[in-house]
């Protein structure tokens, strides 16, 4: 696993005293795309403990993989993560929580020097992203959650 992403995950664990999935084994901080979903609960990540469309066998991962493959995008150039990144977030998607997790997404984005696109999937993640200020050279794309 990429050292910078591993250190970011360790930082989250220590700061929030919570459990977080690992990044996919092929995820690198030099990726150009950051794909953000809502949270790792009720998904393949909850079983595998990894944010990976290859390792997770749920509908969300299958749909993401199908869309990415059909677009001809190399998955090695995408980091998959969640706006509400911990397993124990529950249903706390209120403004205070959005602001808290937005700060952590800003930190992750800051670790990605080649980032060009942030793909935000689903309305809950999109609501939280309103508290994230992106560099003018980074494109924000909103899409439906891939579980649909």
């Amino acid at each position: 696993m990429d050292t910078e992403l591993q250190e970011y995950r360790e930082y989250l664990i220590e700061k929030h005293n919570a459990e977080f999935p690992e990044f996919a084994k092929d995820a690198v901080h030099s990726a150009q795309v950051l794909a953000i979903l809502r949270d790792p609960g009720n998904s393949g990540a909850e079983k595998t403990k990894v944010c990976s469309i290859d390792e997770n066998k749920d509908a969300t991962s299958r749909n993401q993989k199908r869309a990415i493959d059909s677009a001809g995008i190399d998955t090695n150039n995408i980091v998959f993560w969640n706006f509400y990144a911990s397993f124990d977030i529950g249903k706390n998607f209120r403004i205070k929580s959005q602001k808290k997790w937005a700060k952590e997404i800003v930190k992750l984005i800051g670790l990605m020097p080649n980032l060009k696109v942030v793909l935000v999937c689903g309305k809950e993640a999109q609501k939280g992203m309103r508290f994230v200020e992106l560099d003018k050279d980074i494109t924000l794309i909103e899409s439906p959650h891939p579980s649909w």
Side-chain angles (χ1 to χ4, degrees), residues 53 60-73 119 146:
I53 63 170
T60 297
S61 293
R62 281 192 305 273
N63 292 341
Q64 283 181 290
K65 186 159 181 54
R66 186 173 23 250
I68 290 166
D69 288 348
S70 70
I73 299 169
L119 173 64

Side-chain angles (χ1 to χ4, degrees), residues 81-133:
W81 198 239
N82 292 286
F83 187 84
Y84 303 98
S86 73
F87 284 112
D88 62 349
I89 187 67
K91 298 295 180 199
N92 183 9
F93 306 131
R94 297 182 182 192
I95 289 178
K96 184 176 179 182
S97 183
Q98 291 172 20
K99 288 179 178 179
K100 170 182 150 179
W101 292 109
K103 290 177 186 175
E104 304 304 359
I105 294 297
V106 168
K107 184 170 180 67
L108 176 58
I109 289 170
L111 297 173
M112 300 180 71
N114 301 325
L115 188 64
K116 300 290 182 212
V117 174
V118 177
L119 173 64
V120 187
C121 306
K123 66 179 180 174
E124 297 301 339
Q126 291 163 7
K127 286 179 187 176
M129 284 299 293
R130 66 186 164 169
F131 297 107
V132 174
E133 188 174 327

Side-chain angles (χ1 to χ4, degrees), residues 18-32:
E19 186 180 357
F20 294 83
E22 292 184 13
F23 287 93
K25 62 183 170 218
D26 56 352
V28 292
H29 77 283
S30 58
Q32 293 182 329

